[in-house]
Amino acid sequence: MAFSFNHFNFNVLDLEKSRAFYKEALGLETLSVNDQPEFTIEFLGDKKTGFRLELTYMKQRTEPYNLGELEYHLAMKADDFEAAHKKHEEMGIICFENPAMGIYFITDPDGYWIEIIP
């Protein structure tokens, strides 16, 4: 028996805002959408790897999600780390930097942390 990665999920409060964020900040594109009466699931991808980010939007939810202590994160590799850092700095979305490790983190509209690595 073997397993392989398929996707990672973030529940989002505003699907349009999240979709726009992931497109602008990380260049992710919509791969598929499953729109149901109570929820919408949208898969985003980089069109380079098979990995997908699932955005789940519960249509009746009005309160932000409790993300706990954020002791988890998604990591993205930048082909031009300096340009990515500059863009994210201009967007005002860098929440933590670790120059000694050569990484930084950005936050999405719901507060999820995304690590950017060179």
Side-chain angles (χ1 to χ4, degrees), residues 17-62:
K17 187 175 185 179
S18 293
R19 180 187 303 120
F21 169 85
Y22 283 100
K23 176 142 182 80
E24 181 181 357
L26 300 169
L28 300 184
E29 302 277 342
T30 299
L31 301 175
S32 66
V33 177
N34 180 354
D35 191 27
Q36 300 295 317
E38 296 177 4
F39 64 88
T40 300
I41 294 175
E42 183 165 338
F43 284 99
L44 306 178
D46 58 16
K47 297 198 176 184
K48 296 178 213 163
T49 67
F51 190 82
R52 300 175 301 158
L53 176 61
E54 174 186 340
L55 302 181
T56 300
Y57 169 61
M58 303 303 293
K59 294 179 179 178
Q60 300 303 314
R61 185 165 184 108
T62 58

Side-chain angles (χ1 to χ4, degrees), residues 41-103:
I41 294 175
E42 183 165 338
F43 284 99
L44 306 178
D46 58 16
K47 297 198 176 184
K48 296 178 213 163
T49 67
F51 190 82
R52 300 175 301 158
L53 176 61
E54 174 186 340
L55 302 181
T56 300
Y57 169 61
M58 303 303 293
K59 294 179 179 178
Q60 300 303 314
R61 185 165 184 108
T62 58
E63 297 296 316
Y65 287 93
N66 179 346
L67 304 182
E69 296 182 20
L70 283 171
E71 291 298 325
Y72 56 89
H73 63 271
L74 179 66
M76 301 287 293
K77 186 175 183 178
D79 65 353
D80 186 339
F81 187 79
E82 308 257 334
H85 187 278
K86 183 174 188 264
K87 176 184 185 92
H88 295 150
E89 193 169 48
E90 290 169 357
M91 291 176 69
I93 59 174
I94 295 176
C95 62
F96 180 77
E97 294 189 63
N98 187 330
M101 292 181 66
I103 62 170

